[in-house]
Amino acid sequence: MRIAISTGGGDAPGLNAVIRAAVLSALDRGWDVLGIKRGYAGLLGEDEVIALNREVVSGIGHLGGTILRTTNRGNPFHFPQLQADGTIVEIDRSDELIDRANELGIDAILTIGGDGSLAIAQQLYERGVKIVGVPKTIDNDVSCTITSFGFDTAVNTAIEAIDKLHTTAESHDRVIVLEVMGRDAGFIALHSGLAGTADVILIPEIPYNIERVCDKIRQRDRAGRHFSIVVAAEGAIPVGGRKSTIGDSLPGEAHRVGGIAEALAREIHRRTGKECRSLVLGHLQRGGMPTGYDRLLAARFGGAAVRAIADERWGEMVALQSPHIVCVPIAEVLRAPKRVELDHDVVLTARATGIAFGD
Ligand code: F6P
């Protein structure tokens, strides 16, 4: 048996722990393991395919990033190709990928990725590729799994930032707006905001009214709390408005979500007269060592994925459905992205403890 591992999409702390556990579990069964570099680029002649053995995965379990590298621009069904005039044309290179995998004697692929990589996995599965998925997302937006590795690390990084912002905001009687990642999901903002005791949390699932946000800040002022911490998910949306995006994308690249923190800080200052500052936490949330929780979950996913391959659970993804790791068809996972449920206990507790959502 020869399996190949690929990591795709944005990196997440814990990828290396999945790779390590999967490689050691596969070697334990006497299988051969290959690593496809940079998503599927290694199979498309754009990068390498390497042997993954005990030495290669030794000492990587606690490291952030991925030893296989990754990309969110390498969909084999829509592979971007730069033209002489600077434009990008997307071509289908899936046949090439499948031929190369067959040439290398790859019996099964283990793909570790978020919604984009899982959608590619589903297409490959429909083309007859024997593939098993492991969910990876700091945003926690993959369905059918309670969580994925990377999310806990991102939330802890955001909590640490909120703790530090509290002391400086309080010293200066300022409002500080912290922008956290999450794309169209508000989990990082919600979880870090409640655990870090923010005053306002803005998430894409609850459109906000800026006047309601300012009301909360004024109300705190009147109560003698002259500072406020606003945690805004990068994809938060004002009622009737749109999410904020950053321009100047590379050719062929979608506009990036972001920029809400500074816009909010200016608007809150204009409306309340309070001194405001903003901070974009950005890729700090994706970097560094995974937390203990994420390392353990990643190792469990890696081991479970090899068992799923042994059981020929093709087209399925390992998932945490506490206390067990189970397998779910990727088609079911892709049916709808996971979003914050408005009646979830985390939202209810946040509201009951005085946190405003701007609604
Ligand atoms: O999906 C993970 C994520 O970190 C999002 O939270 C964020 O919007 C996006 O990726 C950033 O992508 P990039 O690293 O390409 O800027």
Side-chain angles (χ1 to χ4, degrees), residues 6 19 22 37 44 63 69-70 77 80 97 117-118 120 129-130 133 144 161 173 185 192 224 269 296 318 345:
S6 151
I19 295 170
K37 295 289 271 302
L44 296 173
L63 301 177
R69 308 287 181 267
T70 188
F77 294 91
L97 183 154
S117 306
L118 291 167
I120 295 168
V129 176
K130 293 174 175 169
C144 303
D173 291 346
S192 65
H269 170 69
L296 175 63
V318 297
D345 75 271

Side-chain angles (χ1 to χ4, degrees), residues 126-143:
E126 285 165 9
R127 296 278 315 275
V129 176
K130 293 174 175 169
I131 195 159
V132 161
V134 170
K136 171 246 43 160
T137 162
I138 66 156
D139 304 333
N140 195 27
D141 59 354
V142 173
S143 290

Side-chain angles (χ1 to χ4, degrees), residues 36-357:
I36 307 165
K37 295 289 271 302
R38 246 178 346 112
Y40 291 108
L43 282 181
L44 296 173
E46 311 274 344
D47 209 316
E48 300 171 279
V49 174
I50 58 168
L52 290 177
N53 51 36
R54 236 165 247 285
E55 288 66 47
V56 178
V57 300
S58 163
I60 65 167
H62 63 293
L63 301 177
T66 160
I67 59 162
L68 293 176
R69 308 287 181 267
T70 188
T71 174
N72 40 23
R73 299 172 54 106
N75 184 336
F77 294 91
H78 299 279
F79 202 86
Q81 207 170 55
L82 187 61
Q83 305 299 293
D85 64 358
T87 57
I88 301 262
V89 171
E90 290 183 346
I91 54 169
D92 183 350
R93 296 184 65 183
S94 56
D95 283 338
E96 206 183 315
L97 183 154
I98 293 170
D99 289 347
R100 184 72 185 130
N102 289 335
E103 273 167 31
L104 291 171
I106 295 170
D107 297 301
I109 294 179
L110 194 173
T111 174
I112 314 168
D115 49 3
S117 306
L118 291 167
I120 295 168
Q122 178 63 20
Q123 278 182 281
L124 288 173
Y125 168 64
E126 285 165 9
R127 296 278 315 275
V129 176
K130 293 174 175 169
I131 195 159
V132 161
V134 170
K136 171 246 43 160
T137 162
I138 66 156
D139 304 333
N140 195 27
D141 59 354
V142 173
S143 290
C144 303
T145 183
I146 288 174
T147 190
S148 173
F149 63 89
F151 175 62
D152 186 64
T153 307
V155 168
N156 274 286
T157 299
I159 291 171
E160 191 186 340
I162 296 168
D163 287 348
K164 290 182 174 170
L165 293 177
H166 260 111
T167 59
T168 175
E170 184 162 16
S171 304
H172 283 267
D173 291 346
R174 283 174 172 163
V175 175
I176 302 192
V177 184
L178 173 69
E179 176 176 321
V180 296
M181 281 184 166
R183 262 192 315 179
D184 299 316
F187 293 102
I188 298 178
L190 178 64
H191 287 226
S192 65
L194 176 58
T197 68
D199 305 298
V200 179
I201 298 174
L202 303 178
I203 57 175
E205 294 86 345
I206 305 178
Y208 66 89
N209 176 332
I210 188 69
E211 241 337 277
R212 296 282 94 72
V213 174
C214 293
D215 281 348
K216 172 70 186 177
I217 291 162
R218 293 186 194 106
Q219 185 193 329
R220 280 176 56 78
D221 244 8
R222 286 195 297 273
R225 310 288 282 160
H226 299 297
F227 71 98
S228 289
I229 301 291
V230 178
V231 177
E234 60 184 0
I237 305 167
V239 174
R242 283 182 306 171
K243 68 184 168 201
S244 136
T245 54
I246 302 169
D248 299 335
S249 308
L250 295 170
E253 194 183 37
H255 278 291
R256 288 188 289 135
V257 187
I260 189 174
E262 182 54 21
L264 275 171
R266 281 170 195 262
E267 194 55 23
I268 294 169
H269 170 69
R270 197 179 71 75
R271 288 171 186 251
T272 65
K274 291 207 57 86
E275 205 177 4
C276 298
R277 295 289 186 270
S278 67
L279 175 72
V280 180
L281 200 50
H283 290 79
L284 280 178
Q285 292 157 100
R286 292 229 306 253
M289 284 185 174
T291 57
Y293 181 91
D294 279 342
R295 280 186 225 180
L296 175 63
L297 182 60
R300 290 177 73 193
F301 277 165
V306 167
R307 290 194 293 280
I309 291 173
D311 294 342
E312 306 194 346
R313 307 292 296 252
W314 312 130
E316 299 195 6
M317 180 192 88
V318 297
L320 175 67
Q321 291 183 6
S322 294
H324 301 293
I325 305 285
V326 299
C327 285
V328 197
I330 294 174
E332 194 180 319
V333 175
L334 296 174
R335 207 156 286 146
K338 184 161 60 166
R339 297 288 180 260
V340 171
E341 292 166 20
L342 304 190
D343 57 353
H344 193 279
D345 75 271
V346 181
V347 176
L348 300 182
T349 300
R351 288 193 192 278
T353 54
I355 296 175
F357 286 88

